[in-house]
Amino acid sequence: CGIADYSRSLIRALHSLPAAPAPPGVEVLPLPRQAPPSVYAALGTALNDADVAHVQHAYSFFGGMHPLRGRRWRILLQRVRVPLLVTLHEFDARGTGAHRLPPGLERRYKTWFNRRSFLHPAIGAWHTHAQEIRHALLDFGVPPSRVVWNPLPVELPQHPVSGDQAIGHNSAVRAL
């Protein structure tokens, strides 16, 4: 899967960052499927043990766009207190007739849902591989300086910056 390949590459790149006196610590926290809301709250709290947190978002990771199941994402975000980068893998604003909703009503619901999900104050920056997602975030009013777009495949820089410049001295990164 593309997200799994991206995740492996990201972790490899983070582990390879040079830093003095030691490379940054990277810990991957697994995201369970269909877990109760308390598990997402605990994961959000656990992210605070690092200097920086990174969470990858796809709707299916957090219960989809259902009004009740989709709240798992916001439950996690409410607990995060460290700088948070979110990689946004998808952005659905289409009216498809799902759940027998008229397309216009479905689009309005998805706009409301996406605003609540992706404009949460815990999110400090967004990363995406799709220009369409970048434009959707900008249309929501996200400052361009806080949206990073890297088309896939993400190329590693020829001359990476030092770990101190990249994420801070002796930083730990927790990723979901």
Side-chain angles (χ1 to χ4, degrees), residues 55-75:
V55 178
Q56 296 189 63
H57 183 280
Y59 295 107
S60 64
F61 295 173
F62 298 97
M65 295 183 91
H66 187 277
L68 298 177
R69 290 188 305 271
R71 68 189 172 103
R72 294 172 181 150
W73 171 244
R74 289 187 316 280
I75 288 169

Side-chain angles (χ1 to χ4, degrees), residues 6-88:
Y6 168 73
S7 299
R8 282 189 291 277
S9 296
L10 174 65
I11 297 304
R12 237 184 345 266
L14 289 171
H15 279 294
S16 72
L17 283 174
V26 177
E27 182 180 355
V28 178
L29 303 176
L31 183 65
R33 297 284 179 143
Q34 306 301 319
S38 60
V39 170
Y40 294 88
L43 284 170
T45 299
L47 291 172
N48 295 319
D49 290 340
D51 295 329
V52 176
H54 170 252
V55 178
Q56 296 189 63
H57 183 280
Y59 295 107
S60 64
F61 295 173
F62 298 97
M65 295 183 91
H66 187 277
L68 298 177
R69 290 188 305 271
R71 68 189 172 103
R72 294 172 181 150
W73 171 244
R74 289 187 316 280
I75 288 169
L76 181 143
L77 291 175
Q78 289 168 355
R79 302 295 179 115
V80 177
R81 302 289 178 259
V82 297
L84 176 63
L85 169 67
V86 172
T87 295
L88 201 52

Side-chain angles (χ1 to χ4, degrees), residues 47-162:
L47 291 172
N48 295 319
D49 290 340
D51 295 329
V52 176
H54 170 252
V55 178
Q56 296 189 63
H57 183 280
Y59 295 107
S60 64
F61 295 173
F62 298 97
M65 295 183 91
H66 187 277
L68 298 177
R69 290 188 305 271
R71 68 189 172 103
R72 294 172 181 150
W73 171 244
R74 289 187 316 280
I75 288 169
L76 181 143
L77 291 175
Q78 289 168 355
R79 302 295 179 115
V80 177
R81 302 289 178 259
V82 297
L84 176 63
L85 169 67
V86 172
T87 295
L88 201 52
H89 291 287
E90 59 185 339
F91 188 96
D92 185 2
R94 300 167 295 135
T96 62
H99 302 286
R100 298 185 189 100
L101 289 174
L105 179 59
E106 183 182 2
R107 280 191 300 276
R108 284 191 295 280
Y109 170 77
K110 288 179 176 182
T111 297
W112 171 83
F113 185 91
N114 286 331
R115 282 187 180 280
R116 286 183 45 144
S117 297
F118 305 135
L119 298 183
H120 194 282
I123 303 172
W126 295 259
H127 175 254
T128 184
H129 302 295
Q131 194 68 277
E132 297 82 13
I133 296 173
R134 180 179 181 276
H135 289 302
L137 290 169
L138 297 177
D139 288 347
F140 273 179
V142 173
S145 63
R146 292 175 51 201
V147 181
V148 177
W149 170 67
N150 295 107
L152 288 174
V154 175
E155 301 292 330
L156 293 176
Q158 296 289 41
H159 304 286
V161 297
S162 75

